[in-house]
């Protein structure tokens, strides 16, 4: 892959004998390394978010519950709450006796 290769020794057009890196060359290489690190960081974050997103935690993250609750309207929630309230009321009356 081309990203694994080092940049050219000098980014200047002038040809010179090797006397080490210039300040401009060092800055260029640091910038390239910084970009590589940022790309790798983004790749790791993406893989981590995919791993966390695929785990099932509780009732609401399961696909069946998500499909069930996504199709409800406000009226359906009201009817469901009323029925749950009636069931609790029956249980409360049973224990009150």
């Amino acid at each position: 892959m081309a990203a694994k290769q080092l940049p050219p020794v000098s980014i200047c057009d002038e040809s010179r004998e090797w006397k080490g890196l210039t300040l401009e060359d060092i800055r260029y290489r640091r910038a390239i390394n910084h970009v590589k690190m940022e790309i790798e960081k983004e790749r790791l974050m993406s893989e981590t978010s995919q791993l966390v997103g695929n785990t099932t935690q509780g009732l609401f993250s399961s696909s069946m519950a998500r499909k069930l609750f996504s199709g409800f309207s406000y009226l359906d929630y009201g009817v469901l709450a009323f029925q749950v309230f009636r069931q609790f009321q029956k249980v409360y009356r049973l224990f009150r006796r």
Side-chain angles (χ1 to χ4, degrees), residues 49-95:
S49 67
Q50 288 174 359
L51 285 176
V52 170
N54 290 338
T55 61
T56 56
Q57 299 171 355
L59 174 69
F60 291 104
S61 64
S62 69
S63 62
M64 185 173 148
R66 200 175 305 135
K67 288 178 185 177
L68 177 73
F69 288 115
S70 67
F72 279 8
S73 67
Y74 290 115
L75 182 63
D76 294 328
Y77 283 119
V79 170
L80 184 66
F82 179 72
Q83 289 177 350
V84 168
F85 175 73
R86 282 185 36 196
Q87 291 298 322
F88 280 125
Q89 196 175 29
K90 287 179 185 177
V91 171
Y92 179 72
R93 284 183 191 160
L94 192 107
F95 283 115

Side-chain angles (χ1 to χ4, degrees), residues 9-91:
V9 174
S10 177
I11 58 173
C12 301
D13 291 328
E14 58 191 49
S15 62
R16 58 184 171 91
E17 291 184 23
W18 174 253
K19 294 181 183 177
L21 296 174
T22 64
L23 191 57
E24 186 179 351
D25 293 335
I26 293 172
R27 286 182 181 147
Y28 179 73
R29 286 182 184 220
R30 284 185 67 196
I32 293 292
N33 285 334
H34 182 71
V35 169
K36 286 180 186 178
M37 288 188 326
E38 289 297 320
I39 290 171
E40 194 65 23
K41 201 183 298 183
E42 287 294 323
R43 186 186 65 81
L44 287 173
M45 292 291 284
S46 173
E47 286 180 5
T48 305
S49 67
Q50 288 174 359
L51 285 176
V52 170
N54 290 338
T55 61
T56 56
Q57 299 171 355
L59 174 69
F60 291 104
S61 64
S62 69
S63 62
M64 185 173 148
R66 200 175 305 135
K67 288 178 185 177
L68 177 73
F69 288 115
S70 67
F72 279 8
S73 67
Y74 290 115
L75 182 63
D76 294 328
Y77 283 119
V79 170
L80 184 66
F82 179 72
Q83 289 177 350
V84 168
F85 175 73
R86 282 185 36 196
Q87 291 298 322
F88 280 125
Q89 196 175 29
K90 287 179 185 177
V91 171

